[in-house]
Amino acid sequence: MPHALEGFRDEPNEWKTTMLKSCCNSPGYFCCACFCCPCVIYQQRNKIIGEDGKYQCCLGMFPCCQSNCPKIPCLCCEVICCPGLAASANRIFIMQKLHIQPDPCDEYIICC
């Protein structure tokens, strides 16, 4: 069975900062993400879908909920109850949209 991120390996772009260097490149954001990860995930998703965008649980990437739900309170519930899935969905969405190769750490974080 192929690896879940196999399709991204040939993408032309790379992340500006690798995951291993992100804590040093942006220590404030790193600390915020460590101590309040639901807030950071919510902020990322809000940026992805925009203020007037249509909310879909985990950006529709996982079969957990395919119905159209109101952004508030559903996004809040998603980032609190399923932060790993929510963060992975955000990252995979950005990789698809911007044609970015996976970081070496992605295999361990997204696919665990």
Side-chain angles (χ1 to χ4, degrees):
M1 185 166 141
H3 193 275
L5 297 174
E6 196 66 38
F8 294 103
R9 297 213 190 284
D10 295 329
E11 294 293 350
N13 301 318
E14 295 181 358
W15 294 100
K16 287 182 184 177
T17 304
T18 65
M19 281 191 200
L20 292 176
K21 294 180 181 177
S22 64
C23 58
C24 296
N25 287 1
S26 185
Y29 191 77
F30 175 78
C31 288
C32 184
C34 286
F35 296 112
C36 191
C37 84
C39 297
V40 171
I41 297 167
Y42 182 93
Q43 178 190 32
Q44 289 173 344
R45 181 68 60 80
N46 206 39
K47 218 175 196 180
I48 288 171
I49 61 175
E51 287 298 321
D52 300 325
K54 184 175 136 187
Y55 169 78
Q56 191 173 19
C57 185
C58 294
L59 291 168
M61 295 193 184
F62 306 108
C64 49
C65 178
Q66 296 295 323
S67 62
N68 293 330
C69 305
K71 187 163 95 175
I72 305 287
C74 294
L75 180 54
C76 296
C77 291
E78 178 187 338
V79 300
I80 291 169
C81 297
C82 309
L85 289 176
S88 293
N90 288 354
R91 189 158 176 94
I92 291 169
F93 179 84
I94 295 300
M95 287 170 59
Q96 287 175 338
K97 185 173 181 174
L98 302 178
H99 306 285
I100 298 175
Q101 297 174 11
D103 185 275
C105 293
D106 280 324
E107 291 183 32
Y108 302 106
I109 294 174
I110 292 178
C111 298
C112 285

